[in-house]
Amino acid sequence: MRLTIVGCSGSFPGPDSAASCYLVEAPFEGRTFRLLLDLGSGSLGPLQDHIDLRDIDAISLSHLHPDHCFDMSGLYVVRKYHPAGPPPRLPVYAPAGSDWQLSNAYGTTAPNGMTLPFEFRDVTDGFAATVGPFTLRAMRTPHPVEAYAIRVEADGRSLVYSGDTGPDPRLERFAEGADVFLCEASFVESADNPPDLHLTGAEAGHIAAAARVGRLLLTHIPPWTDRDEVEADLTTVYDGDYRLVRAGDVVEL
Ligand SMILES: [Zn+2]
Ligand SMILES: [Zn+2]
């Protein structure tokens, strides 16, 4: 399995990165299967540095905040109007109501919404599905809208992506033993943070340590947040393998 950080800026795109988008690839039936975790604002551009937009096989959206899904509008255009003809319908695993919400974001008045290029499949807490070479699982996380952490497994390797989440002990079990834990760290301990929204580096570290993950990757740091402070918060509680990811990073699992 290979993970590419297409975009990792928290909450909105920054000068050095688009918002959340992660490309997960694995061999499948003699070719490479390409799964996207989120397609946040600004990510469709840099995604083309890595793959042809017609070669996406499936998408999993953690939730419907713009920094995780708004470039579905651009991909809708690509998949519907590409001069080489429309590629096959793309399965999109997402919270219920995604077609309606994304259609509104795009502004389409088509009665079938965005379902010509996309086949929406509802995700719920405890969801599990086989997607190409991957087993996909979802866990509802505390966040102001319906949001999920996503676990992806293939060939005995595992990647857990936190999505956006406040602290939740269930995440420790969900991330248990993951080879890579891609976890958000939007907040710093020195601030007065609202509950059930995001994690600090220290809170991400607590989860990673309890879940005994192989490697912690911190992501979703907003452009206005000091990365050094996030890292300092993390290292007060965590002495395992970690990295604060940047756009373009590639991680082999
Ligand atoms: Zn976010
Ligand atoms: Zn969010």
Side-chain angles (χ1 to χ4, degrees):
M1 207 188 318
R2 177 194 293 146
L3 167 68
T4 300
I5 310 298
V6 179
C8 58
S9 183
S11 303
F12 57 94
D16 304 319
S17 176
S20 293
C21 181
Y22 309 97
L23 169 64
V24 187
E25 298 171 292
F28 182 64
E29 296 181 345
R31 64 185 184 90
T32 299
F33 192 97
R34 298 184 171 94
L35 167 71
L36 290 184
L37 303 179
D38 287 342
L39 191 59
S41 27
S43 61
L44 203 60
L47 180 58
Q48 293 166 84
D49 290 336
H50 303 287
I51 58 169
D52 187 307
L53 296 178
R54 291 169 298 166
D55 291 342
I56 304 163
D57 293 294
I59 296 177
S60 174
L61 299 177
S62 64
H63 66 300
L64 298 179
H65 275 152
D67 58 318
H68 298 261
C69 72
F70 259 20
D71 275 19
M72 288 292 287
S73 287
L75 188 63
Y76 173 78
V77 174
V78 172
R79 304 288 296 204
K80 190 175 177 193
Y81 299 109
H82 198 283
R89 278 175 95 208
L90 192 54
V92 178
Y93 299 85
S98 292
D99 178 29
W100 184 85
Q101 283 208 41
L102 292 171
S103 297
N104 275 301
Y106 180 85
T108 180
T109 54
N112 50 6
M114 299 184 106
T115 56
L116 273 179
F118 301 133
E119 183 185 335
F120 290 92
R121 298 180 187 176
D122 292 352
V123 168
T124 52
D125 192 33
F127 171 89
T130 300
V131 181
F134 303 114
T135 301
L136 205 65
R137 298 180 204 280
M139 186 204 104
R140 181 83 187 260
T141 61
H143 200 58
V145 299
E146 184 179 343
Y148 293 93
I150 300 160
R151 185 174 182 119
V152 183
E153 297 178 349
D155 200 23
R157 307 295 286 174
S158 52
L159 162 70
V160 172
Y161 168 45
S162 68
D164 281 4
T165 183
D168 184 344
R170 291 175 69 224
L171 264 174
E172 298 169 12
R173 291 194 298 278
F174 190 70
E176 182 72 41
D179 295 296
V180 168
F181 181 36
L182 177 64
C183 186
E184 73 124 292
S186 311
F187 285 163
V188 288
E189 291 285 329
S190 63
D192 185 15
N193 301 311
D196 296 335
L197 185 60
H198 290 300
L199 300 173
T200 66
E203 289 164 338
H206 273 300
I207 297 166
R212 294 188 294 275
V213 303
R215 189 176 197 194
L216 172 63
L217 305 180
L218 289 187
T219 189
H220 199 281
I221 300 171
W224 55 45
T225 297
D226 180 358
R227 294 171 68 88
D228 292 341
E229 188 173 355
V230 172
E231 183 170 9
D233 286 344
L234 169 69
T235 53
T236 57
V237 302
Y238 187 72
D239 61 2
D241 187 4
Y242 76 92
R243 183 201 297 186
L244 280 63
V245 298
R246 292 193 181 276
D249 283 355
V250 176
V251 178
E252 303 284 349
L253 279 84

